[in-house]
Amino acid sequence: MSRRSNDVGRSEPFLHNLAKVFKVGPKLDLGRKHRPDYILVVLIAILSVIGLVTLFSIAPAVTAGDGMNEFMWRQGMFLVASILAFVIASRIPLDFWRRFGVMIFMIALIMCLLLPIMGWLKIPPAFCTKGACRWYNFGSFGFQPAEFLKFGMILLTSGFLAVRVALGEINSWQKTLLPACAMLMISLFVIVIMQKDLGTGVALVAIFLMQLVIAGVEWSNLLWIVSCIVVLGVGSILIAPHRLARMSTFMGQGNDTADYHIDQAMIALGSGGFSGRGLGQSVQSFGYLPEAIHDSIFAIVGEIFGFIGLVVLLLIFAALLKRIIDKIDFTENVYLRLVAAGVFGWLAAHIIMNIGAMIQILPLTGITLPLVSFGGTSMLFIMASLGLVFAISHYTIHRKVSEVKGVSYADSLGGRRVGRSYYANRSGR
């Protein structure tokens, strides 16, 4: 019997199995490196520039002319730190993330758990506002551990599900689905109930469900899981007055105060017209539109660059998501496919929820627009996750995994190399 077979056989118990994949199991079978997907880098750079230009344009308005240099300096530092996070994440061996995924997730979860406790006890550096504790405050900079938790969730569930796929037990409720759902529920309790952050909860669910789909979970099982999540989501809305108010606003039953945010967003989008007001000409950023540099940045982009600018922005986001999907379709190793799927779920949830709220087809959730909104922690970990996708692009094959006959998910964790290409094709896959 081969060493790999012995390793898998001895990892049967759940807890022992979970430890195996991250600590002592065989290294990931990646094959030979080839040219990575530089188009992915170009798309990331374009979105970052759009965000920086938009923020620079409205900086005099949001700072009231005082502290503009500090505002832009902070965003510049955030961008530099995020670029470093991208480079570092893309250079670290992929097997490192698999082996230490549990540890990274646990550190992130503990940081999230301690934050509301420290806030309740008024222990610095916990920072609370509007009844919610979501930040560690370190002077001029803050750290939002919920973003770290998204990154950790991708690594944890990718490693766990990859092993269950290899053992042929991906649809086992006892050995796979219930433990996986328990990981998610614990995370959602800390984020949605303790930190009162439903937007991050939606992103965690999107990461989880996308990974289950790519792992091959049967649709009947997915339906049960989604039904339970919906019930819990409705319950979390009913027990929170501010979420009920947002839902009432979305259903057209809010009052003038509750409708103010979305009304101002629609004014910003409408006043931009076809070609926009132009750089430095934003009106809504002068205190009219709440969270103009964070959650409402899409409306500001529409005001400045108009309908044309929004279409271009949407096309760039669509192209970025398509490049990530390519990594899922053209990557043979199931762990790497699940990591890419988690990143896709994360970005797609942010893009859809943010834009959907601004155009009034979804309720407001307080979620940022990736790479465009002002902020450090969100950009830092999104860029780190995209660094992982860029690293994965070194090991794609020249045909879709679904088109390579005779290769199973279990084979992708071992040494089979059917259809593997050592060089990227012209599309950068």
Side-chain angles (χ1 to χ4, degrees):
M1 186 178 291
S2 66
R3 178 182 174 184
R4 176 176 174 269
S5 297
N6 288 332
D7 285 335
V8 174
R10 288 194 299 268
S11 62
E12 187 62 27
F14 167 65
L15 293 176
H16 187 50
N17 186 15
L18 192 60
K20 271 283 187 184
V21 68
F22 288 98
K23 295 183 179 179
V24 295
K27 288 186 177 181
L28 289 172
D29 174 50
L30 300 175
R32 188 180 301 174
K33 269 189 172 183
H34 57 62
R35 180 172 59 87
D37 185 0
Y38 289 110
I39 295 178
L40 186 73
V41 178
V42 172
L43 294 171
I44 293 169
I46 293 173
L47 287 171
S48 300
V49 169
I50 291 174
L52 199 61
V53 170
T54 302
L55 292 172
F56 179 78
S57 174
I58 64 174
V62 297
T63 61
D66 183 22
M68 174 180 171
N69 291 336
E70 181 183 355
F71 173 81
M72 291 308 301
W73 178 83
R74 288 181 63 192
Q75 184 62 11
M77 291 298 294
F78 290 154
L79 183 57
V80 170
S82 299
I83 292 173
L84 288 175
F86 177 91
V87 172
I88 292 172
S90 66
R91 299 287 301 222
I92 292 176
L94 289 166
D95 202 58
F96 169 88
W97 302 110
R98 182 182 68 121
R99 291 171 177 267
F100 293 95
V102 170
M103 183 184 299
I104 293 171
F105 172 81
M106 290 305 299
I107 292 172
L109 184 64
I110 291 171
M111 292 182 69
C112 290
L113 179 62
L114 288 177
L115 183 56
I117 297 175
M118 293 173 64
W120 180 67
L121 296 174
K122 301 186 183 303
I123 300 175
F127 177 74
C128 303
T129 179
K130 298 179 181 179
C133 302
R134 301 175 184 174
W135 293 84
Y136 287 105
N137 186 19
F138 301 101
S140 299
F141 297 93
F143 181 79
Q144 190 174 12
E147 301 299 325
F148 187 20
L149 185 65
K150 296 173 191 174
F151 187 78
M153 173 66 78
I154 290 174
L155 301 178
L156 175 74
T157 50
S158 295
F160 174 67
L161 293 176
V163 174
R164 307 320 300 179
V165 167
L167 294 174
E169 297 172 343
I170 190 61
N171 284 292
S172 169
W173 279 96
Q174 181 180 0
K175 296 180 179 180
T176 303
L177 299 181
L178 287 179
C181 289
M183 299 175 199
L184 176 66
M185 290 301 109
I186 292 171
S187 301
L188 291 180
F189 177 81
V190 173
I191 294 298
V192 178
I193 304 301
M194 297 186 68
Q195 289 194 11
K196 302 178 182 180
D197 187 354
L198 184 60
T200 295
V202 172
L204 290 173
V205 169
I207 291 169
F208 182 72
L209 293 179
M210 187 65 189
Q211 289 181 319
L212 290 184
V213 170
I214 298 303
V217 174
E218 294 176 355
W219 289 106
S220 58
N221 291 333
L222 282 172
L223 182 60
W224 279 106
I225 294 172
V226 171
S227 299
C228 292
I229 291 174
V230 169
V231 171
L232 293 174
V234 172
S236 69
I237 293 173
L238 294 177
I239 63 174
H242 70 285
R243 291 173 190 154
L244 278 174
R246 285 182 175 181
M247 188 59 64
S248 297
T249 299
F250 174 68
M251 300 298 293
Q253 299 176 352
N255 51 40
D256 292 339
T257 301
D259 292 341
Y260 178 80
H261 191 159
I262 191 61
D263 288 343
Q264 295 302 314
M266 298 302 291
I267 290 172
L269 290 169
S271 63
F274 186 73
S275 58
R277 288 179 173 272
L279 294 174
Q281 302 302 312
S282 171
V283 174
Q284 292 302 104
S285 57
F286 281 90
Y288 296 104
L289 178 60
E291 302 292 339
I293 61 175
H294 297 292
D295 310 340
S296 305
I297 194 69
F298 181 78
I300 295 297
V301 172
E303 184 184 22
I304 295 173
F305 300 105
F307 177 76
I308 295 176
L310 292 180
V311 170
V312 170
L313 181 63
L314 290 174
L315 289 175
I316 297 171
F317 273 127
L320 178 62
L321 293 176
K322 177 60 169 59
R323 304 309 293 188
I324 300 175
I325 290 176
D326 285 344
K327 307 309 167 286
I328 301 172
D329 288 340
F330 291 86
T331 299
E332 197 176 3
N333 186 285
V334 71
Y335 172 76
L336 301 186
R337 296 183 70 199
L338 291 172
V339 170
V343 177
F344 177 89
W346 182 356
L347 291 181
H350 272 250
I351 294 167
I352 293 172
M353 294 298 293
N354 181 278
I355 296 176
M358 289 298 99
I359 62 177
Q360 210 171 1
I361 62 173
L362 291 173
L364 289 168
T365 55
I367 202 167
T368 58
L369 191 61
L371 305 176
V372 179
S373 294
F374 178 85
T377 315
S378 177
M379 181 181 291
L380 184 73
F381 286 104
I382 284 176
M383 287 286 270
S385 69
L386 289 170
L388 292 181
V389 176
F390 182 71
I392 291 170
S393 72
H394 280 285
Y395 304 103
T396 52
I397 59 177
H398 68 282
R399 294 170 61 189
K400 285 187 176 182
V401 174
S402 59
E403 296 174 354
V404 180
K405 296 181 180 180
V407 178
S408 67
Y409 283 142
D411 293 329
S412 70
L413 292 177
R416 294 192 61 175
R417 290 195 172 119
V418 180
R420 175 167 290 168
S421 173
Y422 291 149
Y423 301 97
N425 57 25
R426 292 183 179 179
S427 65
R429 294 188 181 114

